[in-house]
Amino acid sequence: LALAGARPELAVVVTDIRLPDMYGRRLAHRVAEERGRGAPSIGVVYVTGNAIELTNDGGLGPDERFLAKPFEFDELLALVAEVARAR
């Protein structure tokens, strides 16, 4: 979170849907809060073994994508690049 606030050039955060201390969606919201008003938006790539969790949580926003586990590193890299370009 501190890194996201200090580095406005960061374009994308990659997070699992479920983290030990919070959900990935909450992490993404906290990153946006750390960046503050006027900072560029940040794209989000969720990785998950259960896409149903995203559907139950209201689906994906315009700057959000997900990648189902298991995945290849090249798939993740391509999706991160796509989200970064879309910002």
Side-chain angles (χ1 to χ4, degrees):
L1 289 173
L3 180 64
R7 304 287 303 264
E9 71 274 15
L10 293 178
V12 180
V13 64
V14 177
T15 182
D16 203 315
I17 292 297
R18 289 188 179 198
L19 300 169
D21 296 330
M22 74 175 77
Y23 284 97
R25 182 153 275 162
R26 178 70 184 132
L27 174 67
H29 288 284
R30 297 234 356 239
V31 166
E33 290 170 359
E34 280 290 319
R35 293 169 74 86
R37 292 182 183 255
S41 66
I42 192 161
V44 181
V45 173
Y46 295 106
V47 294
T48 182
N50 186 357
I52 299 291
E53 292 179 32
L54 283 174
T55 304
N56 290 342
D57 196 23
L60 295 171
D63 294 328
E64 300 176 318
R65 301 288 184 277
F66 86 93
L67 190 59
K69 295 177 189 176
F71 53 83
E72 298 292 326
F73 180 75
D74 290 347
E75 293 174 276
L76 175 62
L77 188 60
L79 188 54
V80 166
E82 174 188 321
V83 170
R85 281 191 306 271
R87 292 184 47 244

